[in-house]
């Protein structure tokens, strides 16, 4: 047996670990302040975990010996759940950025009006 091949059981164990890490990262991103410097690290870690999860799912799907369709459906559902949570975090961050930009424009407008007096 080739030692480079990972068994389906090992892939499932790794998926449990990766899913836990992704849940924790998304929880932290949902709680953390936008201005916090840790946000960049959390997003970078989230990207790495997403890549690892994609690879593991791909290995599981490619395994001709693995035939548990209900498990694969559960993983597809988890992927959808993670995607929705990540999109919500992204939308919240984008809304904060838009609000900051609008506030800055208004401040500049008031400065211009004040300087013209």
């Amino acid at each position: 047996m080739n030692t480079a091949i990972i068994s389906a059981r090992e892939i499932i164990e790794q998926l449990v670990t990766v899913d836990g890490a992704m849940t924790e990262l998304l929880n932290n991103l949902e709680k953390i302040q936008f201005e916090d410097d840790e946000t960049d690290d959390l997003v970078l870690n989230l990207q790495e975990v997403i890549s690892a999860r994609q690879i593991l799912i791909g290995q599981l799907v490619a395994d001709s010996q693995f035939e548990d369709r209900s498990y694969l459906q559960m993983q597809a559902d988890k992927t959808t759940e993670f995607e929705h949570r990540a999109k919500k975090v992204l939308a919240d961050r984008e809304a904060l950025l838009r609000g900051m930009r609008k506030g800055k424009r208004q401040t500049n407008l008031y400065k211009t009006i004040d300087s013209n007096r």
Side-chain angles (χ1 to χ4, degrees):
M1 183 175 176
N2 187 346
T3 58
I5 297 175
I6 300 174
S7 72
R9 189 175 73 191
E10 291 171 318
I11 293 171
I12 291 170
E13 289 171 3
Q14 289 178 12
L15 272 171
V16 169
T17 302
V18 166
D19 287 352
M22 189 173 303
T23 299
E24 183 178 335
L25 286 166
L26 286 168
N27 287 342
N28 290 339
L29 280 167
E30 289 168 346
K31 294 176 188 174
I32 198 166
Q33 294 294 319
F34 175 73
E35 302 83 12
D36 195 322
D37 292 336
E38 188 181 354
T39 301
D40 293 340
D41 292 333
L42 291 173
V43 170
L44 181 62
N45 291 341
L46 183 62
Q47 288 173 330
E48 291 171 1
V49 170
I50 289 170
S51 294
R53 189 171 195 283
Q54 287 175 325
I55 290 168
L56 290 170
I57 295 288
Q59 290 174 340
L60 203 55
V61 169
D63 185 350
S64 61
Q65 302 295 317
F66 188 78
E67 297 178 355
D68 189 348
R69 289 186 176 272
S70 64
Y71 183 80
L72 292 175
Q73 183 59 51
M74 182 183 73
Q75 289 302 316
D77 294 342
K78 277 187 181 182
T79 299
T80 302
E81 176 190 337
F82 287 141
E83 180 182 8
H84 289 302
R85 287 184 69 192
K87 283 182 178 180
K88 184 177 181 329
V89 169
L90 176 62
D92 291 346
R93 302 296 170 168
E94 287 175 340
L96 287 170
L97 279 173
R98 281 192 301 274
M100 288 173 56
R101 287 185 195 125
K102 182 178 178 183
K104 187 173 181 173
R105 281 193 305 265
Q106 287 176 339
T107 301
N108 289 339
L109 178 64
Y110 290 130
K111 285 179 182 177
T112 302
I113 291 170
D114 191 44
S115 69
N116 289 335
R117 288 186 181 183

